[in-house]
Amino acid sequence: QEDIFKNVVSHAKEYGFIFPSSEVYDGLSAVYDYAQNGVELKKNIREYWWKSMVQMNENIVGLDAAILMHPTTWKASGHVDAFNDPLIDNKDSKKRYRADVLVEDYAEKLNQKAEKEIEKAKARFGDAFNREEFVTTNARVVEYLSKRKEILERLAKGMSEDLQDVKALIEELEIADPETGSKNWTDVKQFNLMFGTKLGASAESAMDLYLRPETAQGIFVNFLNVQKSGRMKVPFGIAQTGKAFRNEIVARQFIFRMREFEQMEMQFFVRPGDEMKWYQHWKETRLNWHLSLGLGKENYRFHDHEKLAHYANAAADIEFNFPFGFKELEGIHSRTDFDLKAHEEYSGRKLQYFDPELNENYVPYVVETSVGLDRMFLAVFATSLKEETLEDGSTRTVLKLPAVLAPTKAAVLPLVKKDGLPEISRKIIEDLKWDFNVAYDEKDAVGRRYRRQDALGTPFCITVDHQTLEDETVTIRHRDSMKQDRVKISELKDIIENEVSM
Ligand code: ATP
């Protein structure tokens, strides 16, 4: 698993998807740049989300709020007082960790042990294997899973009541510093994750601001502006994508946990009392959105929260099977009227909706869907990256991205660099580029060019050869099957369109 992850990181760099930020200065921890192919893939994921949320839903509209907001926003939202992570230091190594993450990693290992037993049994029993039954009857699996459950429950309790209970749990489980093995821990302390900055030039008049740690608050403070100017009727939603910033303590696992990242959030405003219905609706709808990409149903699971944030009355994560195990990809939260009420209180302005059907005013309840764009990128990229052994025994690296998300949809390759083949290739590109991102490549033998496009995730290669001069046909090669068909140049657009459209 570690090797797979290393491959993902190096492939992303080698093929121009992701670079460490300011690499000439040895990078900046947990900050990354999206390179020529990465920016396309990221944009396509964003667009795929935006279309399904805004374009396909009559009652959801978009917004692009500023990153900088009035500082009282973050008092009202609870971020100034409660947006903390529990830190623990190792006295010997002087390394700093998130106490809850240490415990969660331990629990995940128990889960992996259980999975291993299940896999073994599955291999032994074949078709007769009944997972449900095995999980509830096999002594070892039952022990792993119940221990895991107990640990996570104690963690949740410690996090909400007494952080030193989390420390006690770490000591009891003999969790060691993952890097040095030392078990010599300090107490657990709270650390605020917001990045501060200043507005204004002179020291006296400067105002302390924060870089937004989530995009949601820009939606809440604009709720009434959008509702009135758009004559929106509850239930309706506001969708937004944009940067958010968190001074994460454990910034590791590549783009999974970054200090500057992008969110795709939608806040859905509903009648008080209707929120559970909509919460279920959005849980289901969002899972289906993920499944529509075809990365495999088995790679997703729900995690319903037992411990709820101060603003929520129900919450679940959609977890994804990343190269380092199942982790949160998206959160679906029933946020009640907490945020709008808080902004009413701190601003002294009413944020109420007049419901013409009920003939009454109320502060709507909110159901939120919030997915990290970078985490989506990692999920898609890591799952698509495959090493394949071919029939002739050779291997190829292929990035089997969903075609709709691929940075380049087709590469046009003249078989040789002469006899007018480059010119025809250019002409094909001139036609296709109005509809798709297409690339041209004439360097190296055509087999090597195919491999390069495989590694970039390009769904189609179009090869122009001498026969093209005679009958205006080309070969089109499919990335996944490597099948090649002879088709007319005039058919190319439809063939590509058919596969890459949303
Ligand atoms: P985690 O528990 O992993 O820190 P969270 O519960 O704090 O995440 P939310 O506040 O619910 O996350 O944010 C919504 C989404 O934003 C997450 O599901 C995740 O996809 C993304 N996200 C949050 N923090 C980061 C980060 N530091 N880097 C990249 N994506 C992030």
Side-chain angles (χ1 to χ4, degrees), residues 461-475:
C461 285
I462 296 160
T463 307
V464 174
D465 56 22
H466 291 93
Q467 193 185 328
T468 311
L469 298 169
E470 288 158 27
D471 62 5
E472 302 209 334
T473 64
V474 289
T475 39

Side-chain angles (χ1 to χ4, degrees), residues 129-191:
F129 182 68
N130 179 333
R131 186 186 163 106
E132 226 91 302
E133 193 189 304
F134 185 77
V135 166
T136 48
T137 53
N138 179 277
R140 236 180 290 177
V141 171
V142 169
E143 191 195 320
Y144 290 142
L145 293 182
S146 63
K147 177 95 184 149
R148 170 176 180 269
K149 186 156 176 272
E150 181 204 318
I151 290 172
L152 289 178
E153 276 166 9
R154 279 182 59 190
L155 173 66
K157 188 153 179 284
M159 294 282 288
S160 61
E161 287 170 20
D162 185 353
L163 283 180
Q164 297 326 313
D165 289 350
V166 178
K167 180 191 177 188
L169 189 58
I170 288 174
E171 285 178 338
E172 193 182 310
L173 297 172
E174 301 194 10
I175 296 177
D177 181 327
E179 284 176 48
T180 66
S182 158
K183 295 173 187 167
N184 193 4
W185 298 108
T186 64
D187 283 351
V188 181
K189 312 181 265 292
Q190 292 286 21
F191 173 82

Side-chain angles (χ1 to χ4, degrees), residues 82-324:
F83 195 53
N84 301 314
D85 270 349
L87 288 191
I88 192 163
D89 291 289
N90 188 282
K91 288 185 193 154
D92 300 322
S93 68
K94 308 272 181 269
K95 298 241 182 240
R96 180 160 277 197
Y97 296 93
R98 251 176 74 174
D100 55 335
V101 172
L102 287 176
V103 177
E104 276 168 8
D105 284 355
Y106 185 94
E108 178 57 27
K109 281 203 189 105
L110 291 171
N111 202 35
Q112 282 167 8
K113 280 186 182 168
E115 281 301 326
K116 238 188 213 153
E117 294 294 327
I118 295 168
E119 284 306 313
K120 265 198 279 177
K122 205 159 120 192
R124 214 175 325 129
F125 295 123
D127 284 346
F129 182 68
N130 179 333
R131 186 186 163 106
E132 226 91 302
E133 193 189 304
F134 185 77
V135 166
T136 48
T137 53
N138 179 277
R140 236 180 290 177
V141 171
V142 169
E143 191 195 320
Y144 290 142
L145 293 182
S146 63
K147 177 95 184 149
R148 170 176 180 269
K149 186 156 176 272
E150 181 204 318
I151 290 172
L152 289 178
E153 276 166 9
R154 279 182 59 190
L155 173 66
K157 188 153 179 284
M159 294 282 288
S160 61
E161 287 170 20
D162 185 353
L163 283 180
Q164 297 326 313
D165 289 350
V166 178
K167 180 191 177 188
L169 189 58
I170 288 174
E171 285 178 338
E172 193 182 310
L173 297 172
E174 301 194 10
I175 296 177
D177 181 327
E179 284 176 48
T180 66
S182 158
K183 295 173 187 167
N184 193 4
W185 298 108
T186 64
D187 283 351
V188 181
K189 312 181 265 292
Q190 292 286 21
F191 173 82
N192 194 288
L193 297 182
M194 283 196 292
F195 279 105
T197 185
K198 283 197 188 303
L199 178 145
S202 72
E204 312 84 70
S205 66
M207 191 181 197
D208 285 314
L209 297 188
Y210 297 103
L211 302 183
R212 68 179 176 197
E214 63 176 25
T215 56
Q217 298 304 324
I219 295 180
F220 292 128
V221 299
N222 277 301
F223 152 74
L224 211 51
N225 283 339
V226 172
Q227 189 274 320
K228 291 222 154 106
S229 59
R231 295 182 298 159
M232 306 301 290
K233 274 208 178 112
V234 165
F236 74 93
I238 304 178
Q240 170 166 233
T241 71
K243 286 280 173 90
F245 302 81
R246 295 182 188 179
N247 197 358
E248 299 276 4
I249 318 311
V250 194
R252 46 170 193 170
Q253 294 166 325
F254 195 37
I255 56 170
F256 179 82
R257 193 175 296 289
M258 302 157 89
R259 297 205 161 99
E260 173 179 344
F261 59 100
E262 193 164 336
Q263 290 185 312
M264 307 191 284
E265 294 199 307
M266 193 277 297
Q267 312 290 328
F268 201 70
F269 300 90
V270 305
R271 272 186 194 160
D274 278 359
E275 70 273 16
M276 281 307 149
K277 183 180 87 190
W278 286 108
Y279 171 69
Q280 291 304 339
H281 167 87
W282 282 111
K283 262 179 82 172
E284 217 172 283
T285 306
R286 292 302 305 149
L287 181 63
N288 286 337
W289 180 85
H290 288 284
L291 295 178
S292 73
L293 287 170
L295 300 179
K297 199 166 185 262
E298 69 286 0
N299 285 323
Y300 300 87
R301 70 182 187 199
F302 278 119
H303 168 218
D304 293 307
H305 287 211
E306 278 142 37
K307 180 195 166 233
L308 296 170
H310 59 280
Y311 52 75
N313 68 358
D317 298 336
I318 295 176
E319 295 187 337
F320 185 78
N321 190 8
F322 286 98
F324 34 80

